[in-house]
Amino acid sequence: MAVAGSEPLLRVERLTKTFDLKRGKTLIAVNDVSFSLQRGETLGLVGESGSGKTSVGRCILRLIEPTSGSIYLDGKNLTTLTPRALRSARARIQLVFQDPFGSLDPRVSIGASLREPLNIHHVDHGAGDGRIRQMLDLVGLPYDVVHALPADLTTSEQQRVGIARALVTRPDLVILDEPTSQLDSTARSALLRTLKDIQAELKTAYIFISHDLNSVAKISHRIAIMYLGCLVEVAPTENIIASQRHPYSRALLSAVLFPDPSRKPDRYVIQGEISSAIETKDECQLYPRCPIREEACSRGKPPLVEIAASHQSACRRWGHVS
């Protein structure tokens, strides 16, 4: 459970990531994004493909370099670290990939894959064996799996190995990039329960990146919704599910069939195609498609502001979303 009121574990301030394209054009993948994360908290980062959510996760890890902005872990600015210092810091931030089989070397045993991060961070061999056993137990796999190859396992078991590998350095933060997208509904639910149990025991913080709002709602304390590289709404999960305060959030939630017979269908459709992230205009990203837009929405990108306790929206007309 998140520790309320304490200094955040992670602070992302005005993070921007752009990519230079041919003919002098620029794609804005992440556009002035700021948020924080407490210890033991799960933040669900939600959006359609191309919204920039995966780029945010990779910038935090510095797998891709931010164009501008700052990323603080326990007050230390990760964007200014030397390669040596960054390698040490990465023991505290780990990543679980979307494709579990693709993230594992098919020629290497599970035991060797789990030991690799321990070798990189110079963990004693004996202590490493204890950690591997502990993490396999936490993800629900027998220790004998260390002798198997990735192809010997099911997709769900492969993803559990990926989670164990991420946890073996005892990180403070794990970034999970679409970790359930290749699982059936039964395996997905079981993995979400496992992740929650692990968090309860280890107090690990998660950033859970997904377009699957059902899964995000089950595991997240807060949800942050992205559109065209920008955060458009951030709030506690129950607030987002019950009452959206951005028209894009409303449209996104209306398309989800929640397993709740008391929840009435919500037909809220945004017309038109998603705008290009190349050479974007200085206006609300949703302006060309928004059903409640007004002229002022075309004059500058609206900031993400607090409209209620712990609830932020980047919509000038948030009170008219209904």
Side-chain angles (χ1 to χ4, degrees), residues 112-169:
S113 289
L114 293 173
R115 184 165 296 284
E116 184 177 11
L118 296 173
N119 291 339
I120 290 172
H121 295 290
H122 309 293
V123 175
D124 176 77
H125 191 86
D129 281 344
R131 285 201 198 180
I132 290 171
R133 188 179 292 274
Q134 179 192 14
M135 297 312 160
L136 286 174
D137 183 59
L138 280 174
V139 300
L141 292 175
Y143 184 73
D144 287 351
V145 80
V146 296
H147 305 297
L149 292 172
D152 299 327
L153 308 181
T154 66
T155 302
S156 177
E157 289 169 337
Q158 291 165 1
Q159 193 59 291
R160 288 171 183 270
V161 169
I163 293 168
R165 183 177 58 182
L167 292 171
V168 80
T169 61

Side-chain angles (χ1 to χ4, degrees), residues 43-55 57-58 95-101 103 155 159 163 174-183 188 191-192 195 207-216:
L43 177 69
L45 198 55
V46 179
E48 297 171 283
S49 296
S51 63
K53 56 190 186 297
T54 292
S55 293
R58 290 177 180 270
L95 175 66
V96 174
F97 295 90
Q98 178 177 0
D99 178 5
F101 184 73
S103 70
T155 302
Q159 193 59 291
I163 293 168
V174 175
I175 299 173
L176 300 121
D177 188 4
E178 301 275 11
T180 61
S181 64
Q182 298 194 21
L183 306 181
R188 186 183 305 126
L191 187 64
L192 291 174
L195 287 169
I207 295 179
F208 191 92
I209 299 171
S210 182
H211 64 274
D212 176 8
L213 271 161
N214 266 316
S215 293
V216 170

